[in-house]
Short mmCIF file of all heavy atoms in Angstrom, two decimals:
data_model
loop_
_atom_site.label_atom_id
_atom_site.label_comp_id
_atom_site.label_asym_id
_atom_site.label_seq_id
_atom_site.Cartn_x
_atom_site.Cartn_y
_atom_site.Cartn_z
N MET A 1 17.17 -51.77 56.32
CA MET A 1 17.19 -52.25 54.94
C MET A 1 16.94 -51.08 53.98
O MET A 1 16.02 -50.31 54.19
CB MET A 1 16.08 -53.29 54.72
CG MET A 1 16.31 -54.58 55.49
SD MET A 1 17.03 -55.86 54.46
CE MET A 1 15.57 -56.74 53.93
N PRO A 2 17.74 -50.97 52.94
CA PRO A 2 17.48 -49.92 51.94
C PRO A 2 16.25 -50.27 51.10
O PRO A 2 15.83 -51.42 51.03
CB PRO A 2 18.75 -49.93 51.08
CG PRO A 2 19.33 -51.28 51.27
CD PRO A 2 18.90 -51.78 52.63
N THR A 3 15.67 -49.26 50.49
CA THR A 3 14.51 -49.45 49.62
C THR A 3 14.94 -49.22 48.18
O THR A 3 15.59 -48.23 47.87
CB THR A 3 13.40 -48.44 49.99
OG1 THR A 3 13.09 -48.61 51.37
CG2 THR A 3 12.16 -48.68 49.18
N CYS A 4 14.58 -50.16 47.32
CA CYS A 4 14.94 -50.06 45.91
C CYS A 4 14.30 -48.82 45.28
O CYS A 4 13.10 -48.59 45.43
CB CYS A 4 14.46 -51.33 45.19
SG CYS A 4 14.71 -51.27 43.41
N THR A 5 15.11 -48.02 44.57
CA THR A 5 14.57 -46.81 43.94
C THR A 5 13.75 -47.14 42.69
O THR A 5 13.08 -46.26 42.16
CB THR A 5 15.70 -45.84 43.55
OG1 THR A 5 16.64 -46.53 42.71
CG2 THR A 5 16.44 -45.31 44.77
N HIS A 6 13.79 -48.38 42.23
CA HIS A 6 13.01 -48.76 41.04
C HIS A 6 11.67 -49.36 41.41
O HIS A 6 10.64 -48.90 40.96
CB HIS A 6 13.79 -49.76 40.16
CG HIS A 6 14.83 -49.10 39.32
ND1 HIS A 6 14.80 -49.12 37.95
CD2 HIS A 6 15.93 -48.38 39.66
CE1 HIS A 6 15.84 -48.43 37.48
NE2 HIS A 6 16.55 -47.99 38.50
N CYS A 7 11.69 -50.43 42.23
CA CYS A 7 10.43 -51.13 42.52
C CYS A 7 9.87 -50.83 43.90
O CYS A 7 8.77 -51.23 44.22
CB CYS A 7 10.59 -52.63 42.32
SG CYS A 7 11.69 -53.41 43.53
N GLY A 8 10.64 -50.13 44.74
CA GLY A 8 10.13 -49.73 46.04
C GLY A 8 10.17 -50.80 47.11
O GLY A 8 9.70 -50.57 48.23
N SER A 9 10.71 -51.97 46.81
CA SER A 9 10.76 -53.01 47.84
C SER A 9 12.06 -52.91 48.64
O SER A 9 13.06 -52.38 48.15
CB SER A 9 10.63 -54.40 47.19
OG SER A 9 11.73 -54.64 46.35
N GLU A 10 12.02 -53.40 49.86
CA GLU A 10 13.22 -53.42 50.69
C GLU A 10 14.11 -54.57 50.21
O GLU A 10 13.61 -55.61 49.81
CB GLU A 10 12.86 -53.63 52.15
CG GLU A 10 12.16 -52.43 52.75
CD GLU A 10 12.04 -52.54 54.26
OE1 GLU A 10 12.12 -53.67 54.78
OE2 GLU A 10 11.86 -51.49 54.90
N PHE A 11 15.40 -54.35 50.27
CA PHE A 11 16.30 -55.40 49.81
C PHE A 11 17.60 -55.36 50.61
O PHE A 11 17.89 -54.40 51.31
CB PHE A 11 16.59 -55.25 48.32
CG PHE A 11 17.43 -54.04 47.97
CD1 PHE A 11 18.79 -54.18 47.69
CD2 PHE A 11 16.89 -52.79 47.95
CE1 PHE A 11 19.58 -53.07 47.38
CE2 PHE A 11 17.66 -51.66 47.65
CZ PHE A 11 19.01 -51.80 47.36
N ASP A 12 18.36 -56.43 50.48
CA ASP A 12 19.63 -56.57 51.17
C ASP A 12 20.75 -56.28 50.16
O ASP A 12 20.83 -56.93 49.13
CB ASP A 12 19.70 -58.02 51.70
CG ASP A 12 20.95 -58.27 52.53
OD1 ASP A 12 22.07 -57.94 52.05
OD2 ASP A 12 20.81 -58.79 53.64
N VAL A 13 21.57 -55.29 50.47
CA VAL A 13 22.61 -54.89 49.53
C VAL A 13 23.58 -56.05 49.25
O VAL A 13 24.00 -56.24 48.10
CB VAL A 13 23.39 -53.66 50.05
CG1 VAL A 13 24.56 -53.32 49.13
CG2 VAL A 13 22.46 -52.46 50.14
N ASP A 14 23.91 -56.83 50.28
CA ASP A 14 24.83 -57.96 50.07
C ASP A 14 24.24 -58.96 49.07
O ASP A 14 24.94 -59.48 48.21
CB ASP A 14 25.10 -58.70 51.39
CG ASP A 14 26.03 -57.90 52.30
OD1 ASP A 14 26.77 -57.04 51.77
OD2 ASP A 14 25.99 -58.12 53.52
N GLU A 15 22.92 -59.21 49.18
CA GLU A 15 22.27 -60.14 48.26
C GLU A 15 22.22 -59.57 46.85
O GLU A 15 22.43 -60.29 45.87
CB GLU A 15 20.85 -60.46 48.73
CG GLU A 15 20.83 -61.46 49.87
CD GLU A 15 19.42 -61.74 50.38
OE1 GLU A 15 18.44 -61.45 49.66
OE2 GLU A 15 19.32 -62.25 51.50
N ALA A 16 21.94 -58.29 46.73
CA ALA A 16 21.89 -57.65 45.41
C ALA A 16 23.27 -57.72 44.75
O ALA A 16 23.40 -58.06 43.57
CB ALA A 16 21.43 -56.19 45.54
N ARG A 17 24.29 -57.43 45.53
CA ARG A 17 25.67 -57.46 45.02
C ARG A 17 26.03 -58.88 44.55
O ARG A 17 26.60 -59.07 43.48
CB ARG A 17 26.61 -57.01 46.13
CG ARG A 17 28.06 -56.85 45.71
CD ARG A 17 28.92 -56.44 46.90
NE ARG A 17 28.59 -55.13 47.41
CZ ARG A 17 28.33 -54.86 48.70
NH1 ARG A 17 28.34 -55.81 49.61
NH2 ARG A 17 28.04 -53.64 49.07
N ALA A 18 25.64 -59.88 45.37
CA ALA A 18 25.94 -61.28 45.03
C ALA A 18 25.17 -61.71 43.78
O ALA A 18 25.70 -62.41 42.92
CB ALA A 18 25.60 -62.18 46.21
N ALA A 19 23.91 -61.27 43.67
CA ALA A 19 23.09 -61.65 42.51
C ALA A 19 23.70 -61.09 41.23
O ALA A 19 23.79 -61.79 40.21
CB ALA A 19 21.66 -61.15 42.69
N VAL A 20 24.13 -59.83 41.27
CA VAL A 20 24.72 -59.20 40.09
C VAL A 20 26.06 -59.86 39.75
O VAL A 20 26.35 -60.15 38.59
CB VAL A 20 24.89 -57.68 40.31
CG1 VAL A 20 25.75 -57.04 39.22
CG2 VAL A 20 23.53 -57.00 40.35
N SER A 21 26.84 -60.13 40.76
CA SER A 21 28.14 -60.76 40.55
C SER A 21 27.98 -62.14 39.91
O SER A 21 28.69 -62.51 38.98
CB SER A 21 28.86 -60.83 41.89
OG SER A 21 30.03 -61.58 41.77
N ASP A 22 26.99 -62.93 40.41
CA ASP A 22 26.72 -64.26 39.84
C ASP A 22 26.26 -64.15 38.39
O ASP A 22 26.70 -64.90 37.53
CB ASP A 22 25.58 -64.95 40.62
CG ASP A 22 26.10 -65.62 41.87
OD1 ASP A 22 27.31 -65.53 42.13
OD2 ASP A 22 25.28 -66.21 42.59
N GLU A 23 25.34 -63.22 38.15
CA GLU A 23 24.73 -63.10 36.83
C GLU A 23 25.76 -62.74 35.76
O GLU A 23 25.70 -63.24 34.65
CB GLU A 23 23.63 -62.04 36.90
CG GLU A 23 22.85 -61.85 35.60
CD GLU A 23 21.83 -62.97 35.35
OE1 GLU A 23 21.55 -63.75 36.29
OE2 GLU A 23 21.34 -63.06 34.22
N TYR A 24 26.70 -61.88 36.11
CA TYR A 24 27.64 -61.37 35.10
C TYR A 24 29.09 -61.79 35.36
O TYR A 24 30.01 -61.21 34.81
CB TYR A 24 27.54 -59.84 35.02
CG TYR A 24 26.13 -59.39 34.71
CD1 TYR A 24 25.33 -58.83 35.69
CD2 TYR A 24 25.59 -59.60 33.44
CE1 TYR A 24 24.02 -58.46 35.42
CE2 TYR A 24 24.28 -59.24 33.17
CZ TYR A 24 23.51 -58.67 34.16
OH TYR A 24 22.21 -58.32 33.89
N ASP A 25 29.26 -62.80 36.19
CA ASP A 25 30.61 -63.30 36.49
C ASP A 25 31.56 -62.19 36.92
O ASP A 25 32.74 -62.20 36.56
CB ASP A 25 31.21 -64.02 35.27
CG ASP A 25 30.46 -65.32 34.99
OD1 ASP A 25 29.97 -65.93 35.96
OD2 ASP A 25 30.36 -65.71 33.82
N GLY A 26 31.05 -61.21 37.64
CA GLY A 26 31.90 -60.14 38.14
C GLY A 26 32.25 -59.07 37.12
O GLY A 26 33.01 -58.15 37.44
N ASP A 27 31.67 -59.16 35.90
CA ASP A 27 31.97 -58.14 34.88
C ASP A 27 31.36 -56.78 35.20
O ASP A 27 31.84 -55.75 34.74
CB ASP A 27 31.45 -58.58 33.50
CG ASP A 27 32.35 -59.64 32.88
OD1 ASP A 27 33.47 -59.84 33.40
OD2 ASP A 27 31.93 -60.26 31.89
N ILE A 28 30.26 -56.80 35.93
CA ILE A 28 29.61 -55.53 36.28
C ILE A 28 29.74 -55.34 37.79
O ILE A 28 29.48 -56.24 38.57
CB ILE A 28 28.13 -55.56 35.86
CG1 ILE A 28 28.03 -55.59 34.32
CG2 ILE A 28 27.38 -54.34 36.43
CD1 ILE A 28 26.61 -55.68 33.79
N ASP A 29 30.17 -54.13 38.17
CA ASP A 29 30.37 -53.81 39.58
C ASP A 29 29.09 -53.16 40.13
O ASP A 29 28.80 -52.01 39.84
CB ASP A 29 31.57 -52.86 39.70
CG ASP A 29 31.92 -52.58 41.16
OD1 ASP A 29 31.03 -52.73 42.04
OD2 ASP A 29 33.06 -52.20 41.42
N TYR A 30 28.35 -53.94 40.91
CA TYR A 30 27.08 -53.44 41.46
C TYR A 30 27.26 -52.13 42.22
O TYR A 30 26.50 -51.19 42.04
CB TYR A 30 26.47 -54.51 42.38
CG TYR A 30 25.30 -53.99 43.16
CD1 TYR A 30 24.04 -53.91 42.58
CD2 TYR A 30 25.46 -53.55 44.47
CE1 TYR A 30 22.97 -53.39 43.27
CE2 TYR A 30 24.39 -53.04 45.18
CZ TYR A 30 23.14 -52.96 44.58
OH TYR A 30 22.10 -52.43 45.28
N ASP A 31 28.27 -52.05 43.07
CA ASP A 31 28.44 -50.86 43.90
C ASP A 31 28.73 -49.62 43.06
O ASP A 31 28.24 -48.53 43.35
CB ASP A 31 29.56 -51.07 44.91
CG ASP A 31 29.17 -52.11 45.94
OD1 ASP A 31 28.27 -51.83 46.74
OD2 ASP A 31 29.72 -53.21 45.90
N GLU A 32 29.52 -49.82 42.02
CA GLU A 32 29.86 -48.70 41.16
C GLU A 32 28.65 -48.21 40.36
O GLU A 32 28.42 -47.03 40.21
CB GLU A 32 30.97 -49.16 40.20
CG GLU A 32 31.73 -48.03 39.55
CD GLU A 32 32.96 -48.58 38.83
OE1 GLU A 32 33.90 -49.03 39.52
OE2 GLU A 32 32.92 -48.60 37.60
N GLU A 33 27.86 -49.18 39.86
CA GLU A 33 26.73 -48.83 38.99
C GLU A 33 25.49 -48.39 39.76
O GLU A 33 24.78 -47.49 39.34
CB GLU A 33 26.35 -50.03 38.11
CG GLU A 33 27.47 -50.51 37.20
CD GLU A 33 27.74 -49.52 36.06
OE1 GLU A 33 26.86 -48.74 35.71
OE2 GLU A 33 28.87 -49.55 35.54
N MET A 34 25.20 -49.08 40.86
CA MET A 34 23.92 -48.86 41.53
C MET A 34 24.06 -48.21 42.90
O MET A 34 23.08 -47.76 43.48
CB MET A 34 23.18 -50.20 41.68
CG MET A 34 22.78 -50.80 40.36
SD MET A 34 21.84 -49.62 39.34
CE MET A 34 21.29 -50.70 38.03
N GLU A 35 25.26 -48.16 43.44
CA GLU A 35 25.53 -47.49 44.71
C GLU A 35 24.57 -47.90 45.83
O GLU A 35 24.17 -47.09 46.66
CB GLU A 35 25.49 -45.97 44.50
CG GLU A 35 26.57 -45.54 43.51
CD GLU A 35 26.46 -44.06 43.15
OE1 GLU A 35 25.38 -43.48 43.32
OE2 GLU A 35 27.47 -43.51 42.70
N GLY A 36 24.19 -49.18 45.83
CA GLY A 36 23.37 -49.70 46.92
C GLY A 36 21.94 -49.21 46.95
O GLY A 36 21.27 -49.32 47.96
N GLU A 37 21.45 -48.65 45.82
CA GLU A 37 20.10 -48.08 45.82
C GLU A 37 19.07 -48.91 45.05
O GLU A 37 17.90 -48.56 45.04
CB GLU A 37 20.14 -46.67 45.21
CG GLU A 37 20.93 -45.71 46.09
CD GLU A 37 20.97 -44.30 45.51
OE1 GLU A 37 20.74 -44.17 44.29
OE2 GLU A 37 21.20 -43.38 46.29
N VAL A 38 19.52 -49.97 44.39
CA VAL A 38 18.62 -50.73 43.52
C VAL A 38 18.74 -52.22 43.88
O VAL A 38 19.86 -52.72 44.07
CB VAL A 38 18.98 -50.49 42.04
CG1 VAL A 38 18.05 -51.24 41.12
CG2 VAL A 38 18.94 -48.99 41.72
N CYS A 39 17.62 -52.93 43.96
CA CYS A 39 17.65 -54.34 44.34
C CYS A 39 18.26 -55.20 43.23
O CYS A 39 18.43 -54.74 42.09
CB CYS A 39 16.25 -54.83 44.70
SG CYS A 39 15.16 -55.11 43.29
N GLY A 40 18.58 -56.43 43.55
CA GLY A 40 19.24 -57.32 42.60
C GLY A 40 18.42 -57.55 41.33
O GLY A 40 18.95 -57.46 40.23
N ASP A 41 17.12 -57.82 41.49
CA ASP A 41 16.28 -58.10 40.31
C ASP A 41 16.23 -56.89 39.38
O ASP A 41 16.35 -57.02 38.16
CB ASP A 41 14.85 -58.45 40.74
CG ASP A 41 14.77 -59.85 41.32
OD1 ASP A 41 15.75 -60.61 41.17
OD2 ASP A 41 13.74 -60.17 41.93
N CYS A 42 16.04 -55.71 39.96
CA CYS A 42 15.95 -54.50 39.12
C CYS A 42 17.30 -54.19 38.50
O CYS A 42 17.36 -53.74 37.35
CB CYS A 42 15.47 -53.30 39.94
SG CYS A 42 13.76 -53.44 40.47
N SER A 43 18.38 -54.42 39.23
CA SER A 43 19.72 -54.17 38.68
C SER A 43 19.95 -55.06 37.47
O SER A 43 20.41 -54.58 36.42
CB SER A 43 20.80 -54.49 39.72
OG SER A 43 20.69 -53.64 40.82
N ILE A 44 19.60 -56.34 37.60
CA ILE A 44 19.84 -57.28 36.50
C ILE A 44 18.97 -56.92 35.31
O ILE A 44 19.44 -56.93 34.17
CB ILE A 44 19.62 -58.72 36.99
CG1 ILE A 44 20.78 -59.11 37.92
CG2 ILE A 44 19.51 -59.69 35.80
CD1 ILE A 44 20.57 -60.41 38.68
N SER A 45 17.71 -56.54 35.53
CA SER A 45 16.90 -56.21 34.36
C SER A 45 17.41 -54.92 33.70
O SER A 45 17.41 -54.80 32.48
CB SER A 45 15.40 -56.16 34.68
OG SER A 45 15.13 -55.17 35.59
N LYS A 46 17.91 -53.98 34.52
CA LYS A 46 18.49 -52.76 33.94
C LYS A 46 19.76 -53.07 33.14
O LYS A 46 19.93 -52.60 32.02
CB LYS A 46 18.80 -51.78 35.08
CG LYS A 46 19.75 -50.65 34.75
CD LYS A 46 19.02 -49.40 34.40
CE LYS A 46 19.87 -48.15 34.28
NZ LYS A 46 21.10 -48.31 33.55
N PHE A 47 20.64 -53.88 33.72
CA PHE A 47 21.89 -54.22 33.01
C PHE A 47 21.59 -55.00 31.74
O PHE A 47 22.20 -54.75 30.70
CB PHE A 47 22.83 -55.03 33.91
CG PHE A 47 23.35 -54.26 35.09
CD1 PHE A 47 23.50 -54.86 36.34
CD2 PHE A 47 23.74 -52.92 34.97
CE1 PHE A 47 23.99 -54.16 37.43
CE2 PHE A 47 24.23 -52.21 36.06
CZ PHE A 47 24.36 -52.83 37.29
N ASP A 48 20.62 -55.94 31.83
CA ASP A 48 20.27 -56.72 30.63
C ASP A 48 19.76 -55.79 29.53
O ASP A 48 20.11 -55.95 28.36
CB ASP A 48 19.19 -57.76 30.95
CG ASP A 48 19.79 -59.03 31.55
OD1 ASP A 48 21.03 -59.18 31.50
OD2 ASP A 48 19.02 -59.86 32.05
N SER A 49 18.93 -54.83 29.90
CA SER A 49 18.40 -53.97 28.85
C SER A 49 19.51 -53.08 28.29
O SER A 49 19.57 -52.84 27.09
CB SER A 49 17.16 -53.20 29.32
OG SER A 49 17.49 -51.95 29.79
N ASP A 50 20.43 -52.62 29.15
CA ASP A 50 21.57 -51.82 28.64
C ASP A 50 22.41 -52.65 27.67
O ASP A 50 22.85 -52.16 26.62
CB ASP A 50 22.49 -51.38 29.80
CG ASP A 50 21.85 -50.28 30.63
OD1 ASP A 50 20.79 -49.77 30.24
OD2 ASP A 50 22.44 -49.94 31.67
N ILE A 51 22.63 -53.92 28.03
CA ILE A 51 23.44 -54.80 27.17
C ILE A 51 22.73 -55.02 25.83
O ILE A 51 23.34 -54.96 24.77
CB ILE A 51 23.70 -56.14 27.90
CG1 ILE A 51 24.70 -55.92 29.05
CG2 ILE A 51 24.22 -57.20 26.92
CD1 ILE A 51 24.77 -57.08 30.04
N ASN A 52 21.40 -55.24 25.90
CA ASN A 52 20.64 -55.48 24.67
C ASN A 52 20.60 -54.24 23.78
O ASN A 52 20.68 -54.34 22.56
CB ASN A 52 19.23 -55.95 25.02
CG ASN A 52 19.23 -57.41 25.44
OD1 ASN A 52 19.95 -58.22 24.88
ND2 ASN A 52 18.42 -57.74 26.42
N VAL A 53 20.47 -53.05 24.39
CA VAL A 53 20.50 -51.82 23.60
C VAL A 53 21.88 -51.66 22.96
O VAL A 53 22.00 -51.32 21.78
CB VAL A 53 20.16 -50.59 24.49
CG1 VAL A 53 20.46 -49.29 23.75
CG2 VAL A 53 18.70 -50.63 24.91
N GLY A 54 22.91 -51.95 23.72
CA GLY A 54 24.27 -51.87 23.19
C GLY A 54 24.47 -52.80 22.00
O GLY A 54 25.06 -52.43 20.99
N ARG A 55 23.92 -54.03 22.10
CA ARG A 55 24.04 -54.98 20.99
C ARG A 55 23.24 -54.49 19.78
O ARG A 55 23.69 -54.63 18.65
CB ARG A 55 23.52 -56.36 21.42
CG ARG A 55 24.48 -57.08 22.34
CD ARG A 55 24.08 -58.54 22.52
NE ARG A 55 24.07 -59.24 21.25
CZ ARG A 55 23.25 -60.25 20.95
NH1 ARG A 55 22.37 -60.67 21.82
NH2 ARG A 55 23.33 -60.83 19.78
N ALA A 56 22.06 -53.92 20.02
CA ALA A 56 21.24 -53.41 18.91
C ALA A 56 22.01 -52.32 18.17
O ALA A 56 21.99 -52.26 16.94
CB ALA A 56 19.90 -52.90 19.43
N ILE A 57 22.67 -51.44 18.91
CA ILE A 57 23.46 -50.37 18.29
C ILE A 57 24.60 -50.97 17.47
O ILE A 57 24.88 -50.53 16.35
CB ILE A 57 23.98 -49.38 19.36
CG1 ILE A 57 22.80 -48.60 19.94
CG2 ILE A 57 25.03 -48.44 18.77
CD1 ILE A 57 23.12 -47.80 21.19
N MET A 58 25.25 -52.00 18.01
CA MET A 58 26.33 -52.67 17.27
C MET A 58 25.79 -53.29 15.97
O MET A 58 26.45 -53.26 14.93
CB MET A 58 27.02 -53.72 18.14
CG MET A 58 27.89 -53.09 19.21
SD MET A 58 28.63 -54.32 20.32
CE MET A 58 29.83 -55.08 19.23
N MET A 59 24.58 -53.85 16.04
CA MET A 59 23.96 -54.42 14.83
C MET A 59 23.71 -53.33 13.79
O MET A 59 23.94 -53.52 12.60
CB MET A 59 22.64 -55.11 15.19
CG MET A 59 22.84 -56.40 15.94
SD MET A 59 21.24 -57.05 16.49
CE MET A 59 21.82 -58.41 17.53
N MET A 60 23.23 -52.16 14.25
CA MET A 60 22.97 -51.05 13.33
C MET A 60 24.28 -50.60 12.67
O MET A 60 24.29 -50.17 11.53
CB MET A 60 22.36 -49.85 14.07
CG MET A 60 21.01 -50.10 14.68
SD MET A 60 19.74 -50.44 13.43
CE MET A 60 19.56 -48.80 12.70
N ASN A 61 25.36 -50.69 13.43
CA ASN A 61 26.67 -50.26 12.91
C ASN A 61 27.38 -51.34 12.11
O ASN A 61 28.48 -51.12 11.61
CB ASN A 61 27.58 -49.83 14.07
CG ASN A 61 27.10 -48.55 14.72
OD1 ASN A 61 26.39 -47.77 14.10
ND2 ASN A 61 27.47 -48.33 15.97
N GLY A 62 26.76 -52.53 12.06
CA GLY A 62 27.37 -53.62 11.33
C GLY A 62 28.48 -54.33 12.08
O GLY A 62 29.23 -55.11 11.51
N ASP A 63 28.60 -54.05 13.38
CA ASP A 63 29.64 -54.69 14.18
C ASP A 63 29.21 -56.06 14.69
O ASP A 63 30.00 -56.81 15.24
CB ASP A 63 30.00 -53.82 15.40
CG ASP A 63 30.65 -52.52 14.97
OD1 ASP A 63 31.30 -52.51 13.92
OD2 ASP A 63 30.49 -51.52 15.69
N GLU A 64 27.91 -56.36 14.54
CA GLU A 64 27.41 -57.65 15.00
C GLU A 64 26.36 -58.11 14.00
O GLU A 64 25.75 -57.28 13.31
CB GLU A 64 26.78 -57.47 16.40
CG GLU A 64 26.37 -58.76 17.02
CD GLU A 64 26.38 -58.73 18.56
OE1 GLU A 64 26.99 -57.83 19.15
OE2 GLU A 64 25.77 -59.63 19.12
N ASP A 65 26.15 -59.44 13.87
CA ASP A 65 25.16 -59.95 12.92
C ASP A 65 23.81 -59.29 13.16
O ASP A 65 23.34 -59.22 14.30
CB ASP A 65 25.02 -61.47 13.07
CG ASP A 65 26.25 -62.20 12.53
OD1 ASP A 65 27.01 -61.57 11.77
OD2 ASP A 65 26.43 -63.37 12.87
N TYR A 66 23.20 -58.82 12.10
CA TYR A 66 21.95 -58.07 12.23
C TYR A 66 20.78 -58.99 12.55
O TYR A 66 20.56 -60.00 11.89
CB TYR A 66 21.68 -57.32 10.92
CG TYR A 66 20.60 -56.29 11.06
CD1 TYR A 66 20.89 -55.06 11.65
CD2 TYR A 66 19.31 -56.53 10.63
CE1 TYR A 66 19.90 -54.10 11.79
CE2 TYR A 66 18.31 -55.56 10.77
CZ TYR A 66 18.61 -54.36 11.35
OH TYR A 66 17.64 -53.41 11.49
N ASP A 67 20.04 -58.63 13.58
CA ASP A 67 18.87 -59.39 13.99
C ASP A 67 17.72 -58.38 14.09
O ASP A 67 17.66 -57.58 15.03
CB ASP A 67 19.15 -60.07 15.33
CG ASP A 67 17.94 -60.84 15.86
OD1 ASP A 67 16.81 -60.58 15.40
OD2 ASP A 67 18.14 -61.69 16.74
N GLU A 68 16.84 -58.40 13.10
CA GLU A 68 15.80 -57.38 13.02
C GLU A 68 14.90 -57.36 14.27
O GLU A 68 14.55 -56.30 14.78
CB GLU A 68 14.95 -57.64 11.77
CG GLU A 68 14.04 -56.48 11.45
CD GLU A 68 13.28 -56.67 10.14
OE1 GLU A 68 13.70 -57.53 9.34
OE2 GLU A 68 12.30 -55.97 9.94
N ASP A 69 14.54 -58.54 14.76
CA ASP A 69 13.68 -58.60 15.95
C ASP A 69 14.36 -57.93 17.14
O ASP A 69 13.74 -57.20 17.90
CB ASP A 69 13.36 -60.05 16.33
CG ASP A 69 12.38 -60.68 15.35
OD1 ASP A 69 11.73 -59.92 14.61
OD2 ASP A 69 12.29 -61.92 15.33
N HIS A 70 15.65 -58.21 17.29
CA HIS A 70 16.39 -57.65 18.42
C HIS A 70 16.41 -56.12 18.31
O HIS A 70 16.13 -55.42 19.28
CB HIS A 70 17.81 -58.21 18.44
CG HIS A 70 18.61 -57.80 19.64
ND1 HIS A 70 18.77 -58.59 20.74
CD2 HIS A 70 19.26 -56.64 19.90
CE1 HIS A 70 19.49 -57.94 21.64
NE2 HIS A 70 19.81 -56.76 21.16
N VAL A 71 16.72 -55.62 17.12
CA VAL A 71 16.81 -54.17 16.94
C VAL A 71 15.45 -53.52 17.19
O VAL A 71 15.35 -52.49 17.87
CB VAL A 71 17.34 -53.85 15.52
CG1 VAL A 71 17.22 -52.36 15.22
CG2 VAL A 71 18.80 -54.29 15.40
N GLU A 72 14.38 -54.15 16.66
CA GLU A 72 13.05 -53.54 16.86
C GLU A 72 12.64 -53.56 18.32
O GLU A 72 11.96 -52.66 18.79
CB GLU A 72 12.01 -54.29 16.02
CG GLU A 72 12.03 -53.80 14.59
CD GLU A 72 10.97 -54.47 13.73
OE1 GLU A 72 10.14 -55.22 14.28
OE2 GLU A 72 11.00 -54.24 12.52
N THR A 73 13.06 -54.58 19.05
CA THR A 73 12.68 -54.68 20.45
C THR A 73 13.42 -53.66 21.30
O THR A 73 12.83 -53.05 22.20
CB THR A 73 12.98 -56.10 20.98
OG1 THR A 73 12.31 -57.03 20.16
CG2 THR A 73 12.52 -56.26 22.42
N TYR A 74 14.70 -53.44 21.02
CA TYR A 74 15.51 -52.65 21.94
C TYR A 74 15.85 -51.24 21.48
O TYR A 74 16.35 -50.45 22.28
CB TYR A 74 16.79 -53.42 22.29
CG TYR A 74 16.47 -54.69 23.04
CD1 TYR A 74 16.59 -55.93 22.44
CD2 TYR A 74 16.01 -54.63 24.36
CE1 TYR A 74 16.26 -57.10 23.12
CE2 TYR A 74 15.68 -55.78 25.04
CZ TYR A 74 15.81 -57.02 24.42
OH TYR A 74 15.47 -58.15 25.09
N LEU A 75 15.59 -50.92 20.23
CA LEU A 75 15.84 -49.54 19.80
C LEU A 75 14.52 -48.83 19.49
O LEU A 75 13.57 -49.43 19.12
CB LEU A 75 16.75 -49.50 18.57
CG LEU A 75 18.24 -49.72 18.83
CD1 LEU A 75 19.01 -49.49 17.54
CD2 LEU A 75 18.80 -48.81 19.91
ZN1 ZN B 1 13.84 -53.36 42.76
#
């Protein structure tokens, strides 16, 4: 079993891949992004934070409705 480089727990790559695929409807490719080194839970929290940072940047640019709480939390 591989060990997650984020939380240090052992995990099953097939389960991590399935968890990410379920969470994002296949929009994010676990193997491409994490290369089998990060567990499902850590992958999802990393992707969620990347998505939230991306949205905060879009709000700053006026591409998305501005939400001050969101921007303060993620930028
Ligand atoms: Zn982990």
Side-chain angles (χ1 to χ4, degrees):
M1 292 262 265
T3 304
C4 175
T5 55
H6 281 243
C7 68
S9 64
E10 290 191 339
F11 69 102
D12 184 309
V13 174
D14 286 338
E15 282 178 18
R17 186 182 295 129
V20 168
S21 173
D22 277 0
E23 183 76 13
Y24 303 106
D25 291 329
D27 283 347
I28 293 177
D29 185 337
Y30 170 81
D31 292 291
E32 198 169 290
E33 300 289 337
M34 295 307 189
E35 299 173 338
E37 294 181 339
V38 182
C39 76
D41 285 347
C42 292
S43 296
I44 288 169
S45 63
K46 163 97 170 45
F47 294 141
D48 277 348
S49 95
D50 287 353
I51 288 166
N52 283 322
V53 169
R55 286 191 60 212
I57 291 168
M58 287 176 72
M59 288 173 188
M60 296 296 289
N61 291 337
D63 294 330
E64 186 153 343
D65 288 343
Y66 193 78
D67 177 341
E68 192 175 343
D69 287 343
H70 186 98
V71 171
E72 278 182 7
T73 304
Y74 296 107
L75 282 187

